Amino acid sequence: MWLCVLVVCLVSYGVQVDALKTCQPSDFHYEFTECDHKGGRWRVSVPEPGVCQGGTPNPPKRTADCSVSCDPGWYFDLSELVCEMCPNGTYSLGGGVHYETWEHLPEGFSSYTEAFRSAFTLGRRHGEVDCSEYGWQTKGDVLASKGGQCAAILVYTVKLVKPGAVRYTYQYTDQDIIFEFEAQDEECQSLEDADEYKFPSVTREGQWVTRTVNLNPGLNVLHWKTIGIETRGSSRPVLIKSIQISGVAHSSACSPCPAGTYSGPGAHQCQECPEGSYAPKGASACLPCDHVTEYAPKGSAKCLKRPPCTSQDYYEIDSACDEKNQTRATYRWVEPRVCREQVKGSVSLPPSGELKTCPPCNPGMHYTAGQGCVFCGREEHSDGLSPCRPCPPSTAPNYGYQYQWWTAMPPNMAATCMSADDMGCSTMDGWQVGGDHIHSGRGHADDAYLVLSLKVGGFRGREGFVSGRPMEVGRISFTFELSCASDCEFVFMEASTKKGVTVLQRWTGAQPRQYYSYLVTRNDSYTFSWAFQKVSWEKSYQKTGSFRLFESDMAKVFNINVTKTIDGGASSCLPCPQAPAASGCIPCPAGHYIQRNTTECTRCKADTVVTDPLPYGPESCLPCGLGLTAPDHLTCIVQCHLTIDNRTYDLSNISNARSMMGSTLFTSSGTKFFHMFNISLCGNTSVTCANNVSFNMEGEATTVMSRVCRSTIVPGVEGGSESGGSRTGAVATQSVTLGDHLVGVTTNTSLMDITVIEEFREPNASHNDLHFFYTTPLSTRACPNGRTTTVTLRCAPEETGQGRVNLPRQCPDGTCDGCSFHFLWISAHACPECLPEDLMVVHGECKAGKQKVHYITPNHCRAPSGMLHGRFMSCSTRLPFLVEMIVLSTVSVALMLCLLLFCLWKKNQRLEYKYMSLVAKASSKDGMMELPRPESCALDDGEEEEVQFTKYPPKGILSKFRQHKVAPTEGRGLLESVTLTSKDPMT
């Protein structure tokens, strides 16, 4: 069976081969072989596969140079093997390619995504991350990547035959995305020349920037990569409009110009046809349209018929005020004008209105002939109706911006229009004044980006954070309205020298008239901007039949008010402390407020700050938080030597900025990065997190200064050549502040809705833990309530140096939600100073009149700095005077007692002797004495006569006195007498 199938297949193949015709000379085309070991290659004639067979091809021809390439505007003629100039209506990049249409991903490009392991996705499994909605996406006119929790990589591989360059145009407005460009050679080594451009700079909203990077001959692999740091994604993606590469192999033919463009001989690119003309594909010149009945936008492929004019084709505007301060309503056609008046049903432009008095100037301004409304001079004020007047004595002008009338563009304000193809703006001003409001104008294309900006030089208020809230440096407020039939977008932004561009609020779709206010907490020069786009960014780059579908959609701003500025105009004057000359004002010293009745300066209480430039009343003295002091009454700080809950802490040895590295993070392809944290504990010092790849609008490196900050670090890598490697430096980007203000220092685990993580509140933790609470009130898309940080200091006497800083085990990058950060600092310097009763005192040996005293501390505290190594005291071998007196007294009393006992004993012996004598005398006087019977007849030889009594007298003198009476005897003092009776036998 298998043999039969094989035979059938062979027969079929033979029939198919026999069916092909014989190749004719027109069926052949030229191709080059690969370069051989001698550096040359062959030009050969080959037919298209499957078209013909056999025939007589032209003989091969050898070229000695493999790197044949022509200049732009020329092509390589394979027949003659020479470069020829492109004819009219065509163009050639020479040795280059150009991509600017993104209906689909062109050949040679590849795009893929990978799950991104970050600090905010550690708790997720990779299976839960869906990267299908991310990555580089074709949007017609642009390539777009919105970052998110997946890394998106666009790759293009090209082989250059001579030194060339890649030139791409991009828009990158969201700093929550890391945008990286990398060029590698065939050994996957990064090109040194490309390192300088590895991280493109941030652009403004709607702004396009072109970057050029030189490339080396050989194989080059180009990468455009986006990584979203915040898990909630980004509303403004990274956009690439065009990519052009030079230095590639020759072009064997010139390309015809697209429709709407034209070229002359030797062109390297085609030119767009101007308005009112058109051109078909491959045109050498543009053809004019009938300007009466037809119109054509710039770059048109054909002429369009003019429609009848309607009321939507013109708008009303007040003329500029004349020398008599009068104006009138005028009407203008929407530009570019495409409608036709000379047809049935068309409307004409209405005539101008009657003269009327101009609206008053805005507060703080006055009218001048020829210039219109201008700001009052310094130390002057005006309500906008009356001329400017100097402020009265002992008052100061209250400067600000109060724009509520829009007869002309006010001072310090500007408007602009930006479009992807420079065809969408009817006027470059973008916004138009409308008397009681300013609006986004008419005639702009749907993708036009309309920006209104106000520049403020600075504010009078002072930065600070008191009682758990940031202090008001100034405030900007405005009233607006959005009239949209589509999903239009209105964005309010700020740009400063310290922070770059920040989107503060975003609205989409139709919005009723409403009021918005923003608190300014940083004193800096600002540019506030309002940007309006009729359609979302996704639709703005999708090609449709008409690019003005939402002609009537617009944004209106009715008033703008900025307070406490150092420039602008003053509508009123505020009372202030009186100067000695009774004119002008003198500021109160720091830590004083102004009495409302007397305008005198009065000192505030201790540990309070004053941030208002004109502080009225004691309520202007704002108390600091727990554990904070204000020695200068300007800023609340924590001293490095502080007392909390009757315990004294000395943090001087850990007062310097502390840096620590978070856990190492990777993408699935192995891209390594980590977060670097900088912390400042005490004193009036700040830490700095600098970016060496992210730039603000002026091209200066963005630097973040705060109490706690974080940078994203991409480590440098080894690379280089055989002669010795080179190392690319580490990349620091995405620097953010985690704690602009220190709220308080306490042993409590919560303060002002900020709570220490449970892991750092273990039950066996010492009650002497100190908790530092920081906050950053700036709202972001990922953290609408701002960011907070807690730093817990834990006593550990065994720790050396500054100790160690730990991150939570469950959140190894310091945070579990991206908004609340927690650190545990374990150090011996975190222990409080011991109280005198906590110390155990040990005295050393006394030598040469000196004695060392040692202090043994318990585990919960440490000895004060003066007692850390003990101290020497004067000593002496002589006992103290009190001890000597006690010893002397004791010895004296003992001797006296011994003497008394001896005297009493001697006296007792005498009394016993006398007693015995008296008894003997009493017995001899009576003469009747019974003697005991002798036991023998006589005394033995040598024995003496001895008298013994049967009853012994009582022992002791006291007993004898109790038993016998003692009677006085005249003339002799005391004389003992004993009366013996017959009942007292004697022995």
Side-chain angles (χ1 to χ4, degrees):
M1 178 179 179
W2 289 104
L3 181 62
C4 294
V5 173
L6 180 62
V7 171
V8 171
C9 291
L10 291 175
V11 171
S12 299
Y13 178 75
V15 172
Q16 183 179 4
V17 171
D18 294 339
L20 294 178
K21 67 176 183 177
T22 302
C23 293
Q24 302 299 318
S26 59
D27 295 328
F28 292 95
H29 65 276
Y30 290 115
E31 289 186 1
F32 279 107
T33 63
E34 293 292 332
C35 292
D36 55 29
H37 64 282
K38 294 184 178 180
R41 56 183 176 176
W42 292 88
R43 185 205 66 181
V44 295
S45 297
V46 295
E48 292 292 338
V51 174
C52 62
Q53 63 177 347
T56 306
N58 293 326
K61 187 174 182 179
R62 180 176 174 80
T63 60
D65 188 5
C66 289
S67 59
V68 176
S69 180
C70 299
D71 294 332
W74 296 67
Y75 72 99
F76 190 71
D77 189 347
L78 295 179
S79 299
E80 303 296 333
L81 297 180
V82 294
C83 291
E84 298 286 350
M85 181 181 293
C86 290
N88 291 335
T90 62
Y91 74 100
S92 172
L93 297 176
V97 290
H98 188 201
Y99 303 98
E100 59 180 356
T101 301
W102 307 98
E103 297 293 342
H104 54 81
L105 205 60
E107 184 180 356
F109 284 89
S110 63
S111 174
Y112 64 94
T113 59
E114 58 186 26
F116 181 61
R117 179 174 178 258
S118 71
F120 316 117
T121 58
L122 288 175
R124 301 183 179 182
R125 299 186 301 271
H126 285 296
E128 297 178 355
V129 180
D130 183 12
C131 295
S132 60
E133 61 177 303
Y134 301 100
W136 290 95
Q137 301 173 0
T138 56
K139 298 293 182 179
D141 289 339
V142 296
L143 276 173
S145 175
K146 59 181 180 180
Q149 55 187 340
C150 296
I153 299 94
L154 176 68
V155 181
Y156 182 71
T157 303
V158 61
K159 186 174 182 180
L160 303 188
V161 298
K162 63 180 180 179
V166 55
R167 179 184 176 92
Y168 62 97
T169 302
Y170 71 95
Q171 186 178 129
Y172 170 34
T173 61
D174 194 340
Q175 298 189 44
D176 287 337
I177 300 177
I178 297 179
F179 181 34
E180 176 186 357
F181 170 77
E182 186 176 15
Q184 297 178 333
D185 58 20
E186 57 188 3
E187 297 180 356
C188 296
Q189 298 294 321
S190 297
L191 303 181
E192 294 184 2
D193 293 341
D195 287 342
E196 181 182 355
Y197 307 100
K198 188 171 185 178
F199 291 89
S201 60
V202 177
T203 66
R204 295 184 185 273
E205 291 275 351
Q207 180 186 18
W208 293 97
V209 174
T210 299
R211 181 77 68 191
T212 302
V213 181
N214 294 326
L215 302 176
N216 297 328
L219 186 67
N220 290 266
V221 183
L222 310 180
H223 301 260
W224 290 267
K225 179 186 292 187
T226 61
I227 302 175
I229 295 299
E230 303 290 354
T231 58
R232 304 189 185 187
S234 170
S235 59
R236 298 297 295 183
V238 176
L239 306 176
I240 294 180
K241 186 167 67 172
S242 65
I243 297 176
Q244 180 177 327
I245 302 172
S246 61
V248 298
H250 61 270
S251 297
S252 58
C254 296
S255 302
C257 287
T261 63
Y262 70 98
S263 71
H268 67 279
Q269 64 179 6
C270 300
Q271 304 296 323
E272 285 186 323
C273 291
E275 294 183 11
S277 63
Y278 73 101
K281 182 178 179 180
S284 60
C286 296
L287 304 176
C289 297
D290 185 347
H291 69 279
V292 177
T293 61
E294 297 175 330
Y295 76 97
K298 184 178 179 181
S300 295
K302 61 180 181 179
C303 296
L304 303 176
K305 185 177 180 180
R306 291 183 179 271
C309 293
T310 66
S311 59
Q312 298 294 325
D313 292 313
Y314 64 85
Y315 61 93
E316 177 183 347
I317 187 174
D318 287 341
S319 63
C321 296
D322 57 20
E323 64 277 359
K324 297 181 179 180
N325 196 25
Q326 290 184 327
T327 183
R328 70 174 68 204
T330 60
Y331 298 88
R332 298 178 182 176
W333 292 111
V334 173
E335 297 294 340
R337 181 184 172 186
V338 298
C339 66
R340 182 182 179 188
E341 291 184 84
Q342 296 81 13
V343 293
K344 184 177 180 180
S346 177
V347 300
S348 300
L349 200 65
S352 300
E354 297 181 355
L355 286 173
K356 58 183 179 180
T357 303
C358 287
C361 292
N362 290 308
M365 306 177 71
H366 69 112
Y367 178 80
T368 58
Q371 295 184 359
C373 294
V374 296
F375 283 126
C376 294
R378 304 299 295 179
E379 306 300 328
E380 293 183 340
H381 72 287
S382 171
D383 58 1
L385 297 172
S386 56
C388 297
R389 302 186 304 273
C391 286
S394 299
T395 61
N398 184 19
Y399 293 112
Y401 292 87
Q402 302 178 61
Y403 295 152
Q404 57 193 28
W405 298 105
W406 306 89
T407 57
M409 189 64 70
N412 287 22
M413 292 202 73
T416 185
C417 175
M418 294 179 288
S419 179
D421 53 6
D422 299 328
M423 296 170 53
C425 298
S426 61
T427 61
M428 295 310 298
D429 291 339
W431 290 70
Q432 300 172 359
V433 295
D436 63 345
H437 68 277
I438 184 171
H439 59 85
S440 55
R442 294 183 180 273
H444 304 298
D446 296 340
D447 66 339
Y449 205 75
L450 308 168
V451 181
L452 178 69
S453 59
L454 168 64
K455 189 172 183 178
V456 179
F459 293 88
R460 302 195 305 272
R462 186 170 56 251
E463 297 180 19
F465 196 89
V466 184
S467 301
R469 60 185 180 90
M471 300 312 303
E472 180 178 330
V473 173
R475 184 180 293 272
I476 179 171
S477 58
F478 57 91
T479 304
F480 72 98
E481 178 183 75
L482 301 182
S483 300
C484 300
S486 65
D487 53 347
C488 61
E489 188 175 48
F490 186 58
V491 181
F492 176 53
M493 302 171 289
E494 70 172 8
S496 66
T497 56
K498 294 180 180 179
K499 288 182 64 66
V501 179
T502 302
V503 175
L504 301 178
Q505 190 65 37
R506 193 185 301 268
W507 297 269
T508 58
Q511 298 287 333
R513 182 166 177 168
Q514 56 188 278
Y515 172 83
Y516 176 80
S517 178
Y518 173 70
L519 183 71
V520 181
T521 59
R522 290 177 176 267
N523 200 342
D524 197 0
S525 59
Y526 287 89
T527 298
F528 297 100
S529 300
W530 297 260
F532 177 73
Q533 195 171 28
K534 296 180 181 180
V535 295
S536 63
W537 72 268
E538 291 93 346
K539 293 183 179 180
S540 64
Y541 298 105
Q542 293 178 356
K543 293 185 177 181
T544 58
S546 173
F547 55 91
R548 285 183 172 86
L549 297 177
F550 306 100
E551 180 65 32
S552 59
D553 288 7
M554 68 172 55
K556 293 182 179 180
V557 176
F558 297 94
N559 56 69
I560 298 175
N561 187 23
V562 187
T563 63
K564 297 183 180 180
T565 62
I566 60 176
D567 51 9
S571 61
S572 61
C573 299
L574 299 176
C576 60
Q578 183 173 326
S583 62
C585 291
I586 57 172
C588 285
H592 289 68
Y593 67 91
I594 304 173
Q595 291 282 1
R596 296 185 182 277
N597 298 329
T598 62
T599 67
E600 294 180 354
C601 296
T602 305
R603 181 180 294 275
C604 295
K605 295 181 180 179
D607 295 334
T608 59
V609 296
V610 179
T611 60
D612 199 297
L614 291 175
Y616 292 99
E619 62 272 12
S620 299
C621 305
L622 305 173
C624 294
L626 292 176
L628 306 183
T629 61
D632 56 359
H633 290 281
L634 299 177
T635 307
C636 292
I637 63 172
V638 56
Q639 299 285 357
C640 293
H641 196 84
L642 70 158
T643 300
I644 303 293
D645 295 341
N646 298 323
R647 286 282 184 176
T648 301
Y649 298 81
D650 186 2
L651 309 180
S652 302
N653 292 325
I654 54 176
S655 61
N656 295 330
R658 177 64 184 264
S659 298
M660 65 162 301
M661 185 179 72
S663 59
T664 303
L665 308 173
F666 296 90
T667 63
S668 60
S669 64
T671 302
K672 177 182 178 181
F673 74 100
F674 60 87
H675 288 138
M676 180 67 71
F677 300 93
N678 291 331
I679 303 174
S680 172
L681 277 183
C682 59
N684 194 16
T685 59
S686 299
V687 293
T688 301
C689 291
N691 296 341
N692 58 10
V693 297
S694 296
F695 298 85
N696 61 15
M697 298 305 99
E698 285 73 26
E700 300 175 356
T702 302
T703 300
V704 174
M705 296 184 63
S706 64
R707 307 287 301 193
V708 183
C709 62
R710 183 197 70 185
S711 295
T712 301
I713 306 296
V714 180
V717 295
E718 297 290 345
S721 59
E722 300 176 355
S723 60
S726 61
R727 180 175 177 85
T728 61
V731 171
T733 184
Q734 299 296 320
S735 294
V736 296
T737 173
L738 306 182
D740 286 323
H741 308 286
L742 181 59
V743 179
V745 182
T746 177
T747 56
N748 298 328
T749 56
S750 62
L751 179 66
M752 302 296 295
D753 297 330
I754 307 174
T755 304
V756 178
I757 194 171
E758 182 67 27
E759 179 181 337
F760 294 164
R761 293 186 285 132
E762 297 178 355
N764 58 351
S766 172
H767 66 280
N768 290 321
D769 283 358
L770 269 186
H771 305 289
F772 289 69
F773 295 88
Y774 302 87
T775 183
T776 296
L778 180 63
S779 176
T780 63
R781 286 189 299 274
C783 302
N785 298 322
R787 295 184 176 94
T788 61
T789 299
T790 64
V791 179
T792 299
L793 287 185
R794 179 160 297 170
C795 173
E798 69 279 2
E799 288 290 334
T800 59
Q802 292 189 345
R804 68 182 190 275
V805 180
N806 293 343
L807 298 174
R809 290 187 297 270
Q810 65 201 62
C811 310
D813 205 40
T815 179
C816 298
D817 58 3
C819 300
S820 300
F821 294 79
H822 305 277
F823 304 92
L824 176 62
W825 195 331
I826 303 175
S827 173
H829 302 289
C831 300
E833 293 184 358
C834 296
L835 300 176
E837 57 267 24
D838 296 330
L839 300 174
M840 180 183 295
V841 182
V842 179
H843 295 274
E845 183 181 0
C846 184
K847 294 181 180 180
K850 294 291 183 180
Q851 182 183 42
K852 189 170 184 179
V853 180
H854 300 272
Y855 299 93
I856 300 177
T857 60
N859 291 331
H860 68 274
C861 64
R862 63 190 181 98
S865 57
M867 301 181 180
L868 189 61
H869 303 289
R871 61 179 181 175
F872 286 93
M873 297 178 59
S874 300
C875 63
S876 174
T877 56
R878 180 178 177 180
L879 295 176
F881 176 75
L882 180 59
V883 177
E884 291 181 351
M885 292 302 298
I886 293 175
V887 173
L888 181 60
S889 301
T890 304
V891 172
S892 299
V893 171
L895 292 176
M896 291 178 64
L897 290 176
C898 292
L899 182 60
L900 178 60
L901 290 175
F902 178 76
C903 293
L904 292 176
W905 179 77
K906 293 294 290 182
K907 188 174 182 178
N908 185 49
Q909 292 297 321
R910 287 195 299 271
L911 290 176
E912 287 183 357
Y913 175 76
K914 290 181 181 180
Y915 174 73
M916 295 300 294
S917 299
L918 289 176
V919 171
K921 288 181 180 179
S923 300
S924 63
K925 287 181 180 179
D926 292 341
M928 296 293 294
M929 180 180 295
E930 295 183 4
L931 300 174
R933 283 187 179 187
E935 297 179 359
S936 63
C937 295
L939 297 172
D940 294 333
D941 295 338
E943 290 183 353
E944 295 182 356
E945 186 177 355
E946 180 177 345
V947 181
Q948 296 183 354
F949 299 90
T950 58
K951 183 178 182 180
Y952 294 97
K955 295 182 179 180
I957 188 169
L958 296 179
S959 299
K960 293 179 180 179
F961 277 109
R962 291 193 195 100
Q963 188 172 357
H964 305 289
K965 296 180 179 179
V966 181
T969 304
E970 296 181 3
R972 296 183 57 187
L974 293 176
L975 177 64
E976 294 184 4
S977 63
V978 180
T979 305
L980 300 178
T981 64
S982 60
K983 295 181 180 180
D984 298 325
M986 300 184 63
T987 304

